[in-house]
Structures are given as structure tokens and as C-alpha cells.
Amino acid sequence: MSETKNEYKLLLPLVPILAIIPYLALVQGWESIDAAIFIVAAPFVAFPTILILGQVYNKNKTWKNTWKEGGILGLGALGVSLSAAIWILFDYLNGTAHFADHSVSHWLEWISFDVLQSDYTMTETRILGMGVWIDSLTLMLMFVATFLCFLICWFAIGYMTTDPINEDSNHRFFAEFVLFSLGMFGMVLADNFLWLFVFWEIMGLCSYLLIGFYYWKDSAAKAAKKAFLTTRVGDVFLMVGLFILYDIYGSLEFSVVFDDPSTGVGGALVDSGQMFWALTMLFIGAVGKSAQFPLHVWLPDAMEGPTPVSALIHAATMVNAGLYLVARMMPFVDVHHHGIAGLEDFGIMVAYIGGITAFMAASIAFVQNDIKKVLAYSTMSQLAYIFTGLGSALYFLNTGDYHAGYFVLGASLFHLFNHAMAKGMLFMASGSVIHEVHHAHNLLSLSHGDGDHHDFDPQDMRNMGGLASKMPVTATAMMFGSMSIIGIPLIGGFWSKEGIIAETWAAYFHGESAMLVPAILILATAGMTGFYMSRMWFMTFAGKPKNEVVDYVYENTPWIKEPLLILTLITAIGGFALALYGVIDFLSNESTHLAMHGDHGVVDSIITQLEHAFLPEDSQIRMVGWVTIFLALFVGPIMAARIHGGSLKDGETATPIVGWLVNLSGKFGTQDVSSLAESDLAEALQNRLYFDDLYEGIIARTVIPFADLCAWFDRNVIDGIIKQIESNSVLGSVQIRRITTGSARDYILMATVGALSIVALLLGVSN
Amino acid sequence: MIDPSWIAGLGVILFGIGLLGAFSRSNGIIVLMCIEVMLNAANLNFVAGAAHYGDVNGWVFTAIAIAIAAAEVAIGLAIFLSLYSTQETISLDEASTLKN
């Protein structure tokens, strides 16, 4: 591909679009918060534009090569969103803008109405508006969403437009992509639950459209349906939760609800039982969206979509929505700030769901051979960590231990950030691997003259191995991403995962015996994460090539490497840097800006941070921390290396640290696990612990008979009544037809008689 | 000036003639003419009333009624033309396919 260099010229038309936000900031002197509307408006404009232009100019050369079938437009729109988001972020971080009033910028009153009460009086007008709500949670997710959407769109330009099976339909992809981004941006910025729900549903729709992008494939169509229906189960509960909230507070505006959560409409004290159900309903919605047990079944199947979509759903947007919703619930339980006491059980329930999902997903990930499926289960597992952390935060805040509560809340949200960055990169890197392996296979089958590549699965790791020297950038990126997910000390996810595990144990040590189960589960999962992530990396990049295709793999598709490099940098050093700047306090709203601890310079700050991470004062917590590090750093990866590791071949080179790691993996000897792979447990894990079969069985026994019953009722009762009316009227018409003569004169007579009768009637009435 | 009740009586007679003709004749054209007679009976009443009460509305109504009558005749004649071209008759007695 010699035109690699020239491709970036295509970005030139974007310069005026990207200049909008700097122009408003520097020349027009806008407030950053007023630009928030651009974050949503830019994709809102781009969506129909790409769709219509794509339909009109389909197959047009300029459209295809210069505009990349709309990809460049989408990138421009997301660039505007990103620049606006960064502007707002900087204004808050350097103190130009303040959280004091949560910076609600109210754009308009969307619906306003009076309420008729049971004693037939009207209450004051209630208003559902739309606006922006900004606190540290919003800022973090806004940055994650806009930044990753932008990078993934960049990646998708390279990935989708060189994919031969998407011939001329990529405008559909890019249009749906920006709509999906719009959903996430809007949801994060919304200042009331109603708009949050509207954008939440936009995401649900787009997940359906994008997972089913290859709609001609039966499996993709089914996966799309499954994702849509499963999340819909959660959404119904979410709606119920919103109804209860509205009933309690008489409003869904954050500013009204969070002002004083302990008093409802008219100053009535809020009942903790009612609140428990409201939060539980909202939580079920979050469980569906974030693919937690028991509504997790859709997520692995969602891998049927194109790889950029997997990255988008798993890192930047959809699954974070559920976490966002749960993180939003904190004011309800925070007893130090007008929260409602007596909701500890809710926090424990959240932690249990998280713990169970983390363990279950990690164990299923052990046996997956599809590179994307491993990542999918890893997403589930890591999100479950965050849920466990949020559950602990809910518990602590409700029992009054707000220091621990805020710390674990901050750690959970920091893990969300680390996970999003690492997982976004991992998916793009896996996309790069899949893409190049697929291309190599096409090349190979061309040179062999056999056009048969239907049996070959480019996503199957059993076809890979030894790619470290072929794809240096991807191998490095994936290594740092996996390290961040595993929680290798000093890298990315370590800083946040450690906090979650420690505080969940702390909840147990402080006397809540029920927290023992999630605490043990997530501790074990730390080691399991070490195993399955290392297994995936070693299977793909280390050892001997398992297929001749590997020799033909080259890393040369344009547009793919840049996002990987940027995210590798963030994953490798971003976690540590942000931890140094007190991001955990920032995210839990305890401090309003990022700053280093103390005034004693960088070195001192680093030492404090390391001390805090490795040598906490509480000896029990220190023990937990060291066990976690031992499991994640040694047990898991070494087991994986024994099974799948292997040195580089002579004469092959890889980037320094990757080469070292690959050669290291060859030194642990080998272990044959084929007997294990045939055990019942492996079989059960292969079948995803039979959850799909279970749900299918339940649906077959309940929903389908009920649907049959409804169909019978419809056919025989409703249709029966209508058919009876129809046949009766036919019979009646036949009878009436006898008296018609067909003579015009008779009709005139009848018309006259009719007119006279009407006149007579009118006269009778008026008299 | 003539008493309006006389004119009203004339209108009733004209209307009766028209109605009787419309009932009894089988020739479609004649029936159309009878309908015109009935319309004009009504117009006569309008004009008489307008003259008697000095109200311009009566004349306006008459003008509109004449215009509508013209349009109605045009449609009626068109129907009979097409009836003639398909059935070769304009006798209303023979055009009775609506009968079961």
C-alpha cells in the first residue's frame, strides 16, 4: 500500500469544521459550558448528512476515496464534540468554572404541565426541561466517550473501508456510529432522568443496528435481536424505577431530586423501602445495559458486529451507561448529605451481582478461543469489578463511613476510565490482528489458487501464534492493554483495581459479614484475569505459528496504528500520572480539581502514592493487596505462559519489551492441558455455563406458550367477533338487496321521501 | 307589486311539475330537465324573497344555484353520453344493472 502517506490529506477538509470550537473560544469569547450543546449537536447534524449523502452518492469515486463513505464527516463531527469536551474539561480542571451550582445550563423547557390531584385541584406547573449537568463524573465520562469515539471512528475509517465485504454500505455504518456516539454524549450530559432515558434508548437502538450490521449473516441478525431484547428487559425495569422516582419527588430533574433526596414532593420524608425498590429497578436497567449477571447473555454475541463496534460498545459507550447510572445514585444513599438511611442492603446486592459476574465471566473466558470473545468476557468481568466497587461505595456511604465510601467510589470510576482506555485499545488491536490475518489469508488463498476461505476463522486464536514479530505495534499495544486489565503494578488498571478490592475487603473487616462473598470472588478473579488475558496474548503473539497464514501477516493498513499508539501511551503511564494527581478524590467529588498531594515536589508525591498502594497502614488490607498482586502478577500469567508461551524464532525481532516478554514466556516450560480441556467443567464453560440454554428453556416454557395463547385468543376471540360481525352484515346486505329495484326513478322517490322526512323531523323538533 | 305568496305558489306548482316529471318519465334527458325545473322553482322563491325583503342575499344565492345547476347538467349529460356509448340507451328503465 503505497498510498498510506497520502491518506492523511483527506483530513484537510476537516480543518474548518474543527476550527469551530477554537473560534468560539478565542474570537467570540464564549463560556465553555455554552459549547456543551455542540457535543451533541455535531453528531446530530452528521447523522442525517452522512446517511443522505451516502444514499445519493453511493458508488461515487470521490465519495468512496476522498470522503471514505462518510467516515471523514463522522470524524469531523466527533472532532467537534471532542474539542468542546476538552475545552469544558480544562475550564473545570484549572478552576475557571466551578462545580458549585453543578453548572446546570438549562436550554429549554421541553414539557410543562399542571397536575390534577385527587381532590380536583391543580398543583403548580411541573416542567421537564433539557440542559446540562456537570460534575466530575460527567466530566470523566464525557472525556472518555468523546475521546474514544473519535479514536474508534479514526480506526474504523481504516478498518471498514478496506474490508471487502462492506462494499458500498459503509455510510450506514458511519451514520449509525455517530448516532450511537450522540446517544452516549447526550446521556452523560443530560440534567434529568427523562433525557437520560431517551438517550439511553437511542443507544439501545444503535446497538441493535450496529451489532446487526452484517444483517445478511444469520448469526449477526440473531445477535442483534438478542442484544436488543435483553437490554429491553432491563429498560422496562428502568422505566418503572423512573416512575417511582417521579412519584416520590414530583420531578426527574437532577437539580430537584438531588437537592435533598430525603424529602420528597411537598416536604414528605422519603420512605427507605420505597427508595429501595426505586433504586433496585434502576439497577436492573443498569445490569441489562452493562451486561451483568443475570442479563449478561447478549454481550458475547454482540461480537458479531464489526470490530470497531465492539470497541465502541465495550469501551466508549454502551456498557458505561449502566455504571454511570449506578454512580449517579450515590446522593440517594449518602447519609452525610441528606441521603436516605437504611439502604445498606442495596449496596450489598450491587456488590453481590458484581462479584458473581466477575467470577463467572472470568471463568468462561478461560476456554474461549475467539480473540474477541475473550475480550468480551473480560469486559463483563471488569465491569463487574466496577459494580462491586460501586456496591461497596453505596454500602459505606449508607453506613456513614464516607471516607471509605468516597475513596472506593473514586477508585471505581477511575477503574472505569482505565478500563475504557485499555479495552478500547484492546479491541482495536484485536481488530488489527483479525484484519491482517484475514488479509493474509486472502493473499494466501489467492496465491494457492483455491478461493475457499469459508472454513477459515480469522478471529480464532488457534490460527495465530508467533505474531509478535509480524505486528510490533499491535503486540506492544495489546501487551500494555492486557497489563492494565490484569492490574500489573504501576500500569493503568492497577491503581484502581487495587482500591476496589481493598475497600470491598475493608467492608468485610468492618463487620459486614455479607461482603465476604463478593470480596473473595473478586480477589480470585484478579488471578483469573491474569490467566486469561495472558493466555490470549501468548496464544496470539508468542509461541510457534499455528497456521501458515501467519507468515503472510503484515501490519500496513492505514489509519489503524495511530489510535493504538495514543492509547498505549495513556494506558502505560496515564494511570500512574492521574493517580499522582489525586484523580480518585476528584472523581468522588471530594476535591474539585486535579492536584498532587502535598507541596513537596514530584518525588515525594510519587513515594506517598506508592506507599499508599503497596504499604497501606491497615495490616489486613496490606495482606489483601499483596495477595492480589501475587495472584495477578505471578500465578495467572505464569500458568498461561506454561501452556501457551514460547520464545521468538531465531532471527525474528520484536519491540524490546515485547521480545523480552515472549522469550520469558518460553522459559517456564510447557504443560499439556488437553486432558483438562475435555473435562466436564471445560465443556460447561465452553457452553457459557448453559445460561443461554437455561434462558431458552425458560422462554420456551413460559413466553412461547403465552404467545401461543395470545395468538389463539387473537385468532379465535378477537378475530372471531369481527368475522361474526362481517358475516352477519353480509347476510343482512343480501336480504336488503332484494328490495332494490335498480330503477333511477325509485331512487329519486326514496331521496324525496327521505328529504321530506328530515324536514318533517326538523319541524317537529323546532315545535 | 305582486304578493310574494302568489310567487311562492307558482314555485310550489313548478316544483310539483318537476318532481312529477322526474318520477314518471323514463328519458334521462327529460329527467334532467325536470330537475332543472325544480331548481328554478327554488330560485324563483329566492328572487321573490330578495325583492320583497330588499335583501341582496337572495340574488346571490340564485346566481350560485344557477352556476351549480349548470355544472350539474354538464355532469349529468356526460353521464348520459357515456351511458349511451356503453348501453346504447338513455332510458332509465333499461339502465337497471344495480338490481340484484
Side-chain angles (χ1 to χ4, degrees):
Chain A
M1 291 216 186
S2 55
E3 73 259 87
T4 307
K5 288 264 155 52
N6 300 336
E7 293 258 300
Y8 302 113
K9 270 197 236 158
L10 303 180
L11 293 174
L12 280 179
L14 291 186
V15 172
I17 300 176
L18 293 176
I20 292 176
I21 296 297
Y23 172 77
L24 291 177
L26 301 172
V27 181
Q28 296 286 322
W30 279 32
E31 294 280 320
S32 64
I33 192 69
D34 294 331
I37 192 169
F38 280 91
I39 297 178
V40 179
F44 186 74
V45 173
F47 164 65
T49 313
I50 295 173
L51 207 57
I52 292 166
L53 288 179
Q55 290 293 344
V56 175
Y57 292 110
N58 204 353
K59 299 195 165 97
N60 178 308
K61 276 237 157 54
T62 319
W63 174 250
K64 200 169 170 61
N65 297 327
T66 310
W67 293 99
K68 292 283 174 194
E69 298 187 68
I72 301 287
L73 286 175
L75 195 66
L78 294 174
V80 171
S81 299
L82 176 63
S83 49
I86 288 177
W87 182 22
I88 294 172
L89 187 67
F90 269 95
D91 262 7
Y92 277 92
L93 289 186
N94 65 25
T96 316
H98 301 285
F99 289 131
D101 52 350
H102 283 298
S103 306
V104 182
S105 130
H106 220 76
W107 291 330
L108 60 91
E109 287 170 6
W110 186 38
I111 303 172
S112 77
F113 55 93
D114 294 329
V115 182
L116 182 65
Q117 288 179 321
S118 53
D119 57 353
Y120 300 105
T121 53
M122 302 294 268
T123 57
E124 79 287 8
T125 306
R126 290 183 181 173
I127 295 163
L128 294 169
M130 60 194 294
V132 178
W133 174 272
I134 290 201
D135 56 13
S136 57
L137 174 62
T138 310
L139 284 181
M140 191 271 288
L141 262 171
M142 178 183 74
F143 175 72
V144 167
T146 49
F147 183 63
L148 282 176
C149 284
F150 181 78
L151 288 185
I152 296 168
C153 186
W154 180 294
F155 172 84
I157 290 175
Y159 186 90
M160 297 304 284
T161 55
T162 52
D163 202 348
I165 59 173
N166 309 324
E167 231 30 91
D168 299 324
S169 64
N170 280 329
H171 61 279
R172 195 160 59 80
F173 173 85
F174 287 114
E176 287 160 7
F177 189 102
V178 290
L179 188 62
F180 205 138
S181 315
L182 165 103
M184 186 65 189
F185 302 162
M187 196 212 71
V188 169
L189 291 171
D191 75 337
N192 64 57
F193 282 107
L194 187 66
W195 274 102
L196 185 148
F197 182 70
V198 169
F199 286 113
W200 178 285
E201 290 297 309
I202 290 178
M203 272 196 280
L205 166 73
C206 290
S207 69
Y208 170 77
L209 293 172
L210 283 172
I211 294 169
F213 183 68
Y214 301 132
Y215 57 85
W216 55 87
K217 272 178 22 191
D218 192 41
S219 57
K222 277 188 180 147
K225 214 163 31 176
K226 191 171 174 184
F228 191 69
L229 291 177
T230 315
T231 49
R232 187 46 30 99
V233 173
D235 293 349
V236 171
F237 285 101
L238 173 60
M239 259 165 85
V240 175
L242 295 183
F243 294 153
I244 302 178
L245 275 190
Y246 186 81
D247 188 45
I248 296 174
Y249 296 108
S251 171
L252 291 172
E253 304 272 330
F254 289 170
S255 50
V256 178
V257 174
F258 293 147
D259 183 42
D260 183 0
S262 62
T263 52
V265 63
L269 273 183
V270 176
D271 176 39
S272 72
Q274 198 182 10
M275 201 62 213
F276 178 82
W277 284 108
L279 294 182
T280 305
M281 293 293 145
L282 295 181
F283 177 60
I284 295 174
V287 161
K289 210 67 162 178
S290 292
Q292 300 295 295
F293 171 83
L295 294 177
H296 61 278
V297 289
W298 65 271
L299 193 105
D301 289 14
M303 293 298 112
E304 288 292 337
T307 308
V309 173
S310 311
L312 190 69
I313 291 179
H314 285 248
T317 59
M318 185 141 153
V319 295
N320 293 345
L323 300 167
Y324 171 78
L325 187 63
V326 176
R328 268 273 165 266
M329 294 174 189
M330 292 302 158
F332 291 123
V333 301
D334 187 353
V335 288
H336 275 267
H337 298 96
H338 308 292
I340 300 142
L343 290 169
E344 302 95 343
D345 292 347
F346 177 67
I348 294 171
M349 181 180 76
V350 174
Y352 263 83
I353 294 286
I356 292 169
T357 315
F359 188 79
M360 184 192 73
S363 53
I364 298 177
F366 273 19
V367 296
Q368 297 297 319
N369 288 318
D370 185 317
I371 188 168
K372 273 168 76 182
K373 289 255 164 86
V374 176
L375 291 175
Y377 281 106
S378 149
T379 304
M380 259 163 74
S381 183
Q382 297 305 309
L383 293 175
Y385 265 105
I386 305 170
F387 269 115
T388 315
L390 291 174
S392 313
L394 289 163
Y395 169 79
F396 276 125
L397 288 178
N398 206 238
T399 50
D401 190 350
Y402 67 96
H403 265 305
Y406 283 132
F407 177 75
V408 66
L409 171 64
S412 305
L413 296 176
F414 189 31
H415 198 57
L416 198 168
F417 174 84
N418 286 329
H419 170 257
M421 293 297 164
K423 197 47 72 67
M425 177 180 70
L426 282 170
F427 267 110
M428 287 194 258
S430 78
S432 167
V433 171
I434 294 164
H435 195 70
E436 303 303 351
V437 169
H438 201 177
H439 271 249
H441 185 264
N442 282 354
L443 269 179
L444 189 68
S445 44
L446 273 182
S447 68
H448 284 199
D450 54 347
D452 173 38
H453 44 83
H454 296 295
D455 300 336
F456 182 79
D457 183 2
Q459 307 193 3
D460 196 329
M461 291 190 291
R462 285 169 297 189
N463 287 330
M464 300 173 191
L467 283 171
S469 58
K470 311 282 184 191
M471 310 185 73
V473 175
T474 309
T476 317
M478 217 149 180
M479 183 187 70
F480 278 110
S482 304
M483 282 176 161
S484 173
I485 299 285
I486 295 171
I488 301 285
L490 306 186
I491 291 178
F494 168 76
W495 298 101
S496 43
K497 198 186 238 182
E498 200 75 342
I500 293 175
I501 296 177
E503 289 305 315
T504 310
W505 278 94
Y508 167 66
F509 292 140
H510 290 184
E512 181 55 60
S513 52
M515 287 299 267
L516 181 62
V517 177
I520 289 177
L521 285 175
I522 60 170
L523 184 61
T525 307
M528 292 159 77
T529 312
F531 176 76
Y532 72 75
M533 289 308 286
S534 317
R535 171 181 174 272
M536 179 199 75
W537 195 82
F538 288 136
M539 252 179 121
T540 312
F541 294 107
K544 293 189 187 66
K546 301 182 201 59
N547 193 304
E548 52 176 343
V549 165
V550 169
D551 291 333
Y552 293 83
V553 171
Y554 297 101
E555 195 176 37
N556 58 6
T557 310
W559 301 94
I560 282 184
K561 282 182 217 161
E562 296 82 5
L564 291 180
L565 290 172
I566 294 171
L567 286 176
T568 306
L569 205 65
I570 292 182
T571 311
I573 59 170
F576 196 8
L578 284 171
L580 274 186
Y581 278 90
V583 72
I584 288 178
D585 289 342
F586 174 72
L587 286 177
S588 59
N589 270 333
E590 270 209 301
S591 92
T592 51
H593 56 283
L594 289 176
M596 276 197 212
H597 281 292
D599 309 318
H600 307 294
V602 185
V603 180
D604 193 55
S605 181
I606 290 175
I607 290 171
T608 318
Q609 197 63 38
L610 290 177
E611 228 172 25
H612 193 68
F614 292 104
L615 297 168
E617 281 163 33
D618 188 330
S619 61
Q620 289 167 314
I621 299 295
R622 200 186 307 158
M623 197 64 208
V624 170
W626 282 103
V627 171
T628 312
I629 294 171
F630 175 71
L631 286 173
L633 182 58
F634 296 109
V635 179
I638 289 176
M639 276 168 69
R642 278 176 66 82
I643 301 172
H644 297 290
S647 317
L648 287 172
K649 278 192 286 187
D650 290 336
E652 282 188 334
T653 51
T655 42
I657 187 159
V658 172
W660 173 77
L661 194 63
V662 170
N663 285 329
L664 185 69
S665 76
K667 295 208 174 79
F668 290 110
T670 53
Q671 191 173 12
D672 189 28
V673 286
S674 51
S675 59
L676 258 179
E678 283 157 17
S679 65
D680 287 344
L681 182 62
E683 171 85 18
L685 291 174
Q686 285 280 10
N687 288 311
R688 305 162 175 193
L689 296 173
Y690 303 108
F691 272 110
D692 292 77
D693 301 314
L694 178 70
Y695 289 167
E696 218 161 82
I698 291 173
I699 288 170
R701 279 186 184 78
T702 57
V703 177
I704 291 177
F706 181 68
D708 286 341
L709 184 72
C710 291
W712 177 87
F713 185 79
D714 185 49
R715 258 197 310 277
N716 293 303
V717 179
I718 296 180
D719 282 8
I721 291 171
I722 290 171
K723 278 187 184 142
Q724 202 59 44
I725 293 172
E726 183 219 340
S727 60
N728 282 348
S729 50
V730 167
L731 278 175
S733 317
V734 168
Q735 298 295 330
I736 292 170
R737 216 171 145 190
R738 295 231 178 105
I739 63 167
T740 58
T741 60
S743 159
R745 270 179 282 156
D746 293 346
Y747 297 142
I748 295 174
L749 182 63
M750 285 179 202
T752 313
V753 172
L756 286 177
S757 346
I758 289 171
V759 170
L761 269 174
L762 286 175
L763 283 175
V765 168
S766 62
N767 290 340
Chain B
M1 196 169 170
I2 306 167
D3 184 22
S5 63
W6 287 97
I7 300 178
L10 178 61
V12 169
I13 292 166
L14 269 179
F15 191 87
I17 292 170
L19 195 60
L20 203 64
F23 285 156
S24 56
R25 300 303 296 262
S26 72
N27 190 327
I29 306 287
I30 306 271
V31 170
L32 265 187
M33 286 163 65
C34 291
I35 290 171
E36 289 304 303
V37 170
M38 284 193 280
L39 272 169
N40 282 328
N43 284 344
L44 195 61
N45 274 344
F46 270 128
V47 175
H52 184 255
Y53 296 111
D55 187 351
V56 77
N57 280 336
W59 284 303
V60 173
F61 268 109
T62 309
I64 292 171
I66 289 170
I68 290 173
E72 178 223 307
V73 168
I75 292 171
L77 285 177
I79 289 172
F80 287 121
L81 271 178
S82 75
L83 183 69
Y84 186 75
S85 65
T86 54
Q87 309 275 323
E88 305 220 332
T89 177
I90 51 166
S91 164
L92 293 182
D93 289 333
E94 289 172 43
S96 62
T97 44
L98 269 181
K99 196 174 178 182
N100 59 335

